[in-house]
Amino acid sequence: AWNRVAGRDVSFTEALTGQSTECAPVPVNAEHPLFVLYTSGSTGKPKGVQHATGGYLLWAKQTMEWTFDIRPEDVFWCTADIGWITGHTYVAYGPLAAGATQVVFEGVPTYPNAGRFWQMIERHKVSIFYTAPTAIRSLIKAAESDEAVHPKNSDLSSLRILGTVGEPINPEAWMWYYRHVGGERCPIVDTFWQTETGGHVITPLPGATPLVPGSCTLPLPGIKAAIVDETGKELPNGSGGMLVIQRPWPSMIRTIWGDPDRFKKSYFPEELGGRTYLAGDGAVRDARTGYFRITGRIDDVLNVSGHRMGTMEIESALVAKTDLVAEAAVVGRPDDVTGEAICAFVVLKRGRPEGDEAKAIAKELRDWVGKEIGPIAKPKDIRFGDNLPKTRSGKIMRRLLRSIAKGEQITQDTSTLENPAILEQLAKTN
């Protein structure tokens, strides 16, 4: 029972009594700065991405309608931390601008147990569910080791649309999500966008775009996306290159706060003509359908003996070993012979192996990658850990992994890691 103290405590209902139902907005120019959100840069110095009021809000609402087909009867749930761009656009601004009923969530998907997401979908009759591939993969691992937290134990019949955000989703996780969460009836919108784009730019439209696991499919109306080489020349479908957007859109980044020169150099480089937005991601378009598939950051493209490979491609191959691997992250490290060597950090669906067992599993995984992609893609180093180092929003801290792969001393702040002991585990090569 609530031990209410007279004169100090009031109920929410009492607090509302007599309050006006009107809250007059403050008029501002459409280009008035709305917020600054810091995102990592390839140099390690964070970039303050500044968005404008009018265009950002327009695109947040427009993409709620296009990508999520939001309807008055829907219950929308984006699981993102509200402090990063997905939480800004698809928790704070988009759903509220669209007048949506939504679930706002603070916590982790595995507490008090790994069935929490599915139980909450059942309890609140969620119809649109939007989460990260990292969360899906961790819940696959949990469901395979403990049947009690499998999504089949919850009534998920209220769902009609599923979505993913934050990184490309590997096809195996996509299929599990489609089958076990969506019951093979819910389209999955695999959304590609960035802090800088403000909202979705390449994504399927539910019920309208034929889906391909692992592909974000086609650009939204008004988004003129293309794949180019280092000189800005557009490449034919089937060729991998750099993803660019060739004309402005409402919610695009307006500047890097306090550093307009870096804004121009980072996103509108002179090498590409100075007027084309460089996403910083590599991509390839399917030769037949023209669908886009993101291959990883440009600085996450490895060059091994003259062969260019996206880290995402190797990660997907490792995670496709579904009987063994729960999660994987791949980075490059300098190599005297091949230029760059592939270093894989792997979380298994069983306990972390050591000694001869670790060597045997590492060989099995190398052989598997060799079969899936080719011998050149076999990781030189394979390191096992109980987990991968992640930010609070669930993104893998790849810069930290690069430092570990190079054998460098870790100088960045690791206080936010759930389990700092994994850094020692991941330093051991197999």
Side-chain angles (χ1 to χ4, degrees):
W2 176 27
N3 185 18
R4 179 169 171 168
V5 177
R8 184 193 71 181
D9 301 331
V10 294
S11 71
F12 188 58
T13 305
E14 289 166 342
L16 289 178
T17 303
Q19 297 296 324
S20 172
T21 57
E22 300 290 316
C23 181
V26 177
V28 296
N29 184 284
E31 288 300 304
H32 187 85
L34 181 62
F35 62 83
V36 176
L37 195 57
Y38 282 83
T39 183
S40 60
S42 56
T43 62
K45 182 186 175 189
K47 296 176 286 196
V49 173
Q50 185 224 300
H51 280 291
T53 303
Y56 173 85
L57 188 60
L58 167 68
W59 201 249
K61 183 174 186 292
Q62 185 71 74
T63 50
M64 283 296 298
E65 295 175 2
W66 279 345
T67 310
F68 296 120
D69 184 34
I70 195 74
R71 301 173 187 174
E73 64 272 18
D74 278 317
V75 176
F76 178 82
W77 183 16
C78 168
T79 70
D81 188 308
I82 206 163
W84 69 308
I85 189 64
T86 303
H88 277 53
T89 311
Y90 298 109
V91 177
Y93 289 91
L96 294 176
T101 300
Q102 67 166 329
V103 175
V104 179
F105 171 77
E106 170 72 18
V108 295
T110 51
Y111 181 84
N113 63 64
R116 184 177 188 185
F117 275 5
W118 325 130
Q119 292 153 12
M120 285 180 66
I121 290 168
E122 176 179 350
R123 187 184 320 134
H124 298 293
K125 298 288 181 281
V126 171
S127 55
I128 304 168
F129 181 64
Y130 192 37
T131 195
T134 300
I136 294 166
R137 287 193 294 264
S138 69
L139 296 173
I140 293 172
K141 182 182 179 184
E144 289 184 354
S145 61
D146 180 4
E147 209 168 90
V149 298
H150 196 284
K152 69 183 178 185
N153 297 308
S154 299
D155 179 2
L156 305 181
S157 59
S158 60
L159 288 170
R160 70 181 188 92
I161 293 172
L162 301 175
T164 66
V165 57
E167 60 184 300
I169 181 167
N170 56 295
E172 289 71 27
W174 193 103
M175 288 306 303
W176 187 91
Y177 193 34
Y178 182 71
R179 285 186 184 127
H180 297 291
V181 180
E184 298 190 13
R185 67 178 197 286
C186 300
I188 297 174
V189 288
D190 175 358
T191 59
F192 171 76
W193 61 296
Q194 305 168 305
T195 304
E196 293 88 346
T197 71
H200 306 147
V201 286
I202 308 177
T203 177
L205 296 177
T209 311
L211 304 175
V212 173
S215 170
C216 51
T217 71
L218 296 170
L220 286 174
I223 302 295
K224 193 179 178 191
I227 294 172
V228 301
D229 65 14
E230 288 80 358
T231 65
K233 182 187 170 201
E234 202 160 332
L235 296 168
N237 289 1
S239 301
M242 298 188 295
L243 178 65
V244 297
I245 302 177
Q246 295 171 318
R247 65 180 178 208
W249 65 100
S251 64
M252 66 185 287
I253 178 177
R254 292 308 197 261
T255 189
I256 292 175
W257 189 256
D259 199 344
D261 288 339
R262 188 179 181 195
F263 170 64
K264 283 189 269 190
K265 284 176 189 163
S266 295
Y267 300 112
F268 298 91
E270 287 300 326
E271 300 90 315
L272 302 184
R275 299 177 63 85
T276 297
Y277 171 82
L278 177 65
D281 282 289
V284 63
R285 296 190 76 170
D286 184 87
R288 186 177 58 84
T289 62
Y291 277 13
F292 284 79
R293 181 169 57 81
I294 308 301
T295 54
R297 296 293 297 171
I298 292 170
D299 53 9
D300 283 342
V301 173
L302 308 180
N303 190 327
V304 182
S305 301
H307 295 263
R308 294 185 68 188
M309 282 171 290
T311 54
M312 184 64 206
E313 190 179 5
I314 305 166
E315 289 170 8
S316 284
L318 285 163
V319 178
K321 187 90 170 103
T322 52
D323 60 322
L324 200 56
V325 177
E327 198 162 17
V330 170
V331 300
R333 66 164 176 79
D335 186 272
D336 291 341
V337 178
T338 57
E340 267 187 304
I342 300 165
C343 183
F345 297 86
V346 176
V347 179
L348 298 178
K349 289 181 176 176
R350 60 182 82 168
R352 180 173 57 89
E354 290 191 356
D356 289 343
E357 185 191 16
K359 287 183 170 56
I361 293 175
K363 182 183 184 304
E364 185 180 352
L365 293 178
R366 280 191 189 93
D367 292 344
W368 169 264
V369 172
K371 181 170 74 72
E372 290 287 295
I373 303 176
I376 196 72
K378 286 184 180 183
K380 187 163 187 178
D381 299 345
I382 294 185
R383 299 150 188 247
F384 299 105
D386 294 329
N387 217 319
L388 295 176
K390 292 171 190 166
T391 63
R392 190 173 175 217
S393 64
K395 285 203 170 184
I396 296 165
M397 298 169 73
R398 290 171 196 280
R399 197 175 300 118
L400 189 58
L401 293 179
R402 282 192 204 102
S403 296
I404 295 170
K406 292 174 187 172
E408 294 172 349
Q409 194 165 350
I410 305 300
T411 54
Q412 60 185 285
D413 181 18
T414 57
S415 60
T416 56
L417 291 180
E418 280 180 56
N419 177 12
I422 62 172
L423 299 182
E424 284 181 41
Q425 298 171 4
L426 296 172
K428 295 177 184 171
T429 306
N430 296 286

